[in-house]
Amino acid sequence: MNHPHLDALVIGAGFGGIYQLYSLLKLGFNVKLIEKAPGVGGVWFSNNYPGATTDTASYLYRYTWDKDDLQSYLWANNYLSRDEVVAYLDHVVDKHNLRQHIRFSTEMVAADWSEAAGKWHVKTDQSEVIATTYLVMATGVFTRPNVPKIPGMGTFRGPVMHTASWDNNVDIVGKRVGVIGCGSSGIQVSDAIAPIIAELHCFIRHPPYSIPLRFRPVPSSERSDINSRYNEIHAAQLLSKLALDIGEPDTKTLSVTEEERQQTFESLWRDGNSFRFKYGGFGDLASNAEANEEACKFLRAKIRSIVKDPAKADTLTPNDLFTRRPPCDQGWYEMFNQDNVFAVDIQETPITAIEENGIRTSDGKIHELDIIVLATGFQSVRDNGINGRGGVSIGDYWAEEIKTFLGIFIHSFPNLFMVNGPQGPFSIAPVTIETEVDFISEMLSYLRNTDRVDAVVECTLDKETEWVTLCGRSADTETLENTVSSELTSTNIAGAKRSVIFFYNGLKQYRNHLQEVKDMEYRFLLS
Ligand code: NAP
């Protein structure tokens, strides 16, 4: 890197990092971006498993700030494949000449706040130290794959691949494949590979409620209609909770007759998409256990009506509430009607070991396999080598619970900002990211324009505590998350402590909180 002394260093070339780089360059800051992968995409770059697809509509899964691009960059189907997302971000980077400011295959290994210099010293795996006034972590929450500790993992004679590090050189055609985990990644990869492999063994601990995605081509008339309404759609997103462009009705599930309720559920199932199902029909499915149970009854009946084998249906049917982050599928339940697709209930018969020939379960059975896929998700990142005031690491600071102000700032970590980090709003990624990046960029611009470039930006402990409390309260009132272990509470990993990962009151309220801080001229942030 030619400029080791920077105004800002951005880490990560996903949606957040690319927009942050663009915004700060536009404001005239001396800024660079480093990315550990050899290409753009962030989480989409590494998650290149077969079937990787967005479950946010294509027309919303893009930046809103490039109005020309909104009109002209084509998308063919209602959802984007992983390759299309990466191609789109490549296009943006090239169109706006950002590549010259990005260094790929460069990983941040540590960052230390220097009190004396008032800067971050960022060490990379290229044996260099970059000094920067501001450090923007645009690495998201899904960076470290969760690889379960299963005895004998190293003894398996075939490939073991996590969905976040898929090896395209491995030939899966005609093979016996075991997939551990059935969140969005496990379901997507299973749906995609089932037609071409010899046997699929899905190892299922908590079966999710999965809703059909209803993937389809989008006719040009529909695209023209969306193009003509983009400004209107975007304005409505900013005033909504989830920014999903689904209306967010507030009808109570139990306020309608049984017949009306079933009709609504049926039409939501037919339209597809789990978020639409959860939030697009009734206003209280996500937060009221009684209402939620009505959806569960409908979905359990759906699963049993599709899956013909009662034993498989038992394994695939959840008993708990419809509250984890819901996956979308392209034939997940139908697939189990094939004789060569097996559902292994690992609540009933847990995995005891991985052996040379496959996976052994507690009933003594060996499930013979050629390839094992770990679709076991991610650890929420608490320790990432960042050391703030007094050398305290984020890992230590968050040992008991994750604590932020607005999901952007952490007390004791001056001039450090997170984009799409924990405790930001629970709403779809691109527009959430734009909201956070715009806030950061405006704040830095304000400091420069008011001759306060030397001011240190750090949230007060009081504000941080207040925000964590607000996030906790939002989880209590807006969700049923506390009833299950989930990545949404950071309890998907054995032994992990419960933390609130989102601000669940939604984007509109989140933006109001940001506006308040702006209106007070960033008072709680400047020393
Ligand atoms: P995930 O949602 O955390 O699911 C992990 C799965 O692995 C769960 O079924 C979990 O079971 C299972 N698992 C974890 N450890 C296990 C163990 N030791 N033994 C057996 N099973 C184990 O992970 P993901 O599917 O990779 O998704 C990660 C995030 O990315 C989610 O938010 C997801 O929705 C998102 N994502 C989105 C898309 C998209 O369409 N936009 C695509 C992929 C991923 P338990 O439930 O029992 O813990």
Side-chain angles (χ1 to χ4, degrees):
M1 195 162 281
N2 296 327
H3 303 280
H5 290 274
L6 301 172
D7 294 331
L9 179 67
V10 180
I11 314 292
F15 267 95
I18 290 170
Y19 182 43
Q20 186 68 81
L21 176 68
Y22 169 84
S23 303
L24 292 179
L25 283 170
K26 205 164 161 224
L27 288 167
F29 283 92
N30 175 15
V31 53
K32 298 286 170 192
L33 185 155
I34 60 173
E35 163 58 58
K36 71 175 176 188
V40 301
V43 73
W44 288 106
F45 184 90
S46 51
N47 282 266
N48 66 340
Y49 58 84
T53 311
T54 64
D55 55 12
T56 296
S58 305
Y59 71 95
L60 300 176
Y61 212 71
R62 52 213 320 236
Y63 295 119
T64 63
W65 46 270
D66 187 332
K67 302 291 179 204
D68 286 344
D69 238 30
L70 278 181
Q71 298 295 325
S72 58
Y73 192 84
L74 276 185
W75 40 279
N77 302 305
N78 58 343
Y79 297 101
L80 301 170
S81 70
R82 172 266 178 202
D83 289 353
E84 287 172 311
V85 176
V86 171
Y88 168 68
L89 291 174
D90 262 324
H91 155 81
V92 172
V93 162
D94 288 332
K95 179 176 173 187
H96 296 283
N97 295 318
L98 300 176
R99 208 170 288 275
Q100 57 182 310
H101 304 286
I102 303 177
R103 177 118 65 82
F104 293 104
S105 304
T106 303
E107 184 171 5
M108 181 189 96
V109 291
D112 297 291
W113 172 251
S114 162
E115 213 66 72
K119 285 185 188 296
W120 284 96
H121 291 156
V122 176
K123 294 191 189 84
T124 76
D125 62 353
Q126 308 295 311
S127 308
E128 71 198 320
V129 177
I130 302 167
T132 179
T133 307
Y134 306 113
L135 178 60
V136 185
M137 295 299 296
T139 43
V141 284
F142 300 132
T143 47
R144 196 174 301 165
N146 169 38
V147 176
K149 292 183 182 63
I150 302 173
M153 183 90 88
T155 61
F156 184 61
R157 64 172 175 198
V160 178
M161 297 186 280
H162 193 281
T163 43
S165 50
W166 191 269
D167 182 352
N168 279 310
N169 295 318
V170 173
D171 182 11
I172 57 168
V173 177
K175 300 286 175 19
R176 297 166 302 174
V177 181
V179 177
I180 303 178
C182 53
S184 302
S185 306
I187 286 182
Q188 289 187 346
V189 75
S190 298
D191 288 353
I193 66 176
I196 55 166
I197 61 179
E199 286 178 14
L200 176 62
H201 300 250
C202 297
F203 294 83
I204 295 168
R205 194 164 63 180
H206 291 101
Y209 295 94
S210 183
I211 313 290
L213 187 64
R214 309 289 183 210
F215 184 85
R216 63 174 173 83
V218 173
S220 59
S221 55
E222 189 177 328
R223 268 203 310 273
S224 303
D225 172 52
I226 289 168
N227 280 357
S228 70
R229 294 188 296 110
Y230 252 125
N231 287 342
E232 195 187 307
I233 292 169
H234 182 54
Q237 276 187 300
L238 300 184
L239 294 175
S240 74
K241 264 185 168 174
L242 298 157
L244 279 165
D245 192 28
I246 56 169
E248 300 178 6
D250 51 17
T251 313
K252 301 258 186 287
T253 312
L254 295 165
S255 71
V256 301
T257 65
E258 173 67 16
E259 197 187 345
E260 286 167 332
R261 198 161 40 242
Q262 292 307 315
Q263 272 171 7
T264 303
F265 285 146
E266 199 57 65
S267 91
L268 290 167
W269 176 268
R270 223 180 17 247
D271 288 348
N273 192 302
S274 55
F275 284 99
R276 181 184 290 274
F277 190 96
K278 201 166 179 181
Y279 299 98
F282 297 106
D284 58 351
L285 269 193
S287 56
N288 178 302
E290 235 184 309
N292 190 282
E293 181 56 28
E294 291 302 312
C296 295
K297 282 193 259 176
F298 173 88
L299 294 171
R300 289 183 200 122
K302 268 285 174 222
I303 298 168
R304 292 193 180 277
S305 75
I306 298 170
V307 182
K308 304 297 175 219
D309 177 335
K312 287 183 186 176
D314 281 350
T315 301
L316 291 164
T317 307
N319 295 315
D320 50 9
L321 292 177
F322 175 46
T323 185
R324 290 188 178 80
R325 202 277 199 199
C328 301
D329 67 85
Q330 296 190 61
W332 166 249
Y333 295 118
E334 289 79 356
M335 174 184 93
F336 287 94
N337 291 331
Q338 292 172 216
D339 292 339
N340 63 343
V341 178
F342 306 94
V344 186
D345 182 342
I346 56 168
Q347 288 251 35
E348 180 108 357
T349 54
I351 294 173
T352 51
I354 292 183
E355 299 179 4
E356 190 185 349
N357 293 334
I359 295 180
R360 192 173 291 281
T361 42
S362 65
D363 51 359
K365 187 170 176 185
I366 178 94
H367 304 263
E368 292 202 4
L369 302 168
D370 304 308
I371 297 166
I372 295 175
V373 175
L374 302 175
T376 43
F378 298 83
Q379 302 179 28
S380 46
V381 176
R382 295 198 187 195
D383 195 1
N384 45 14
I386 300 178
N387 303 306
R389 280 198 201 280
V392 67
S393 71
I394 290 191
D396 284 345
Y397 192 69
W398 284 353
E400 286 306 313
E401 64 173 336
I402 293 173
K403 297 173 284 186
T404 77
F405 176 49
L406 299 166
I408 297 176
F409 308 95
I410 313 171
H411 178 67
S412 295
F413 294 81
N415 289 5
L416 175 85
F417 318 125
M418 292 180 292
V419 176
N420 210 22
Q423 298 178 350
F426 186 67
S427 53
I428 64 165
V431 72
T432 298
I433 282 167
E434 288 180 0
T435 293
E436 294 180 347
V437 167
D438 287 343
F439 178 83
I440 294 167
S441 304
E442 279 174 42
M443 177 182 69
L444 298 186
S445 174
Y446 168 86
L447 290 182
R448 199 183 47 188
N449 295 341
T450 53
D451 287 330
R452 303 184 69 182
V453 279
D454 293 332
V456 168
V457 183
E458 180 186 0
C459 68
T460 63
L461 188 55
D462 283 355
K463 280 287 152 192
E464 186 180 81
T465 308
E466 215 176 89
W467 186 250
V468 176
T469 308
L470 256 171
C471 288
R473 225 177 276 151
S474 75
D476 290 343
T477 55
E478 302 291 328
T479 78
L480 298 160
E481 302 304 351
N482 289 335
T483 61
V484 294
S485 64
S486 152
E487 51 148 26
L488 299 183
T489 47
S490 176
T491 48
N492 55 327
I493 311 298
K497 298 210 168 118
R498 186 170 286 271
S499 274
V500 189
I501 299 291
F502 288 105
F503 171 69
Y504 287 100
N505 289 122
L507 187 63
K508 180 184 170 194
Q509 279 202 36
Y510 179 75
R511 291 176 65 85
N512 290 343
H513 284 286
L514 295 184
Q515 190 58 46
E516 227 172 81
V517 177
K518 276 192 248 176
D519 290 346
M520 298 191 74
E521 298 185 340
Y522 309 99
R523 198 172 306 159
F524 331 113
L525 293 168
L526 303 178
S527 49

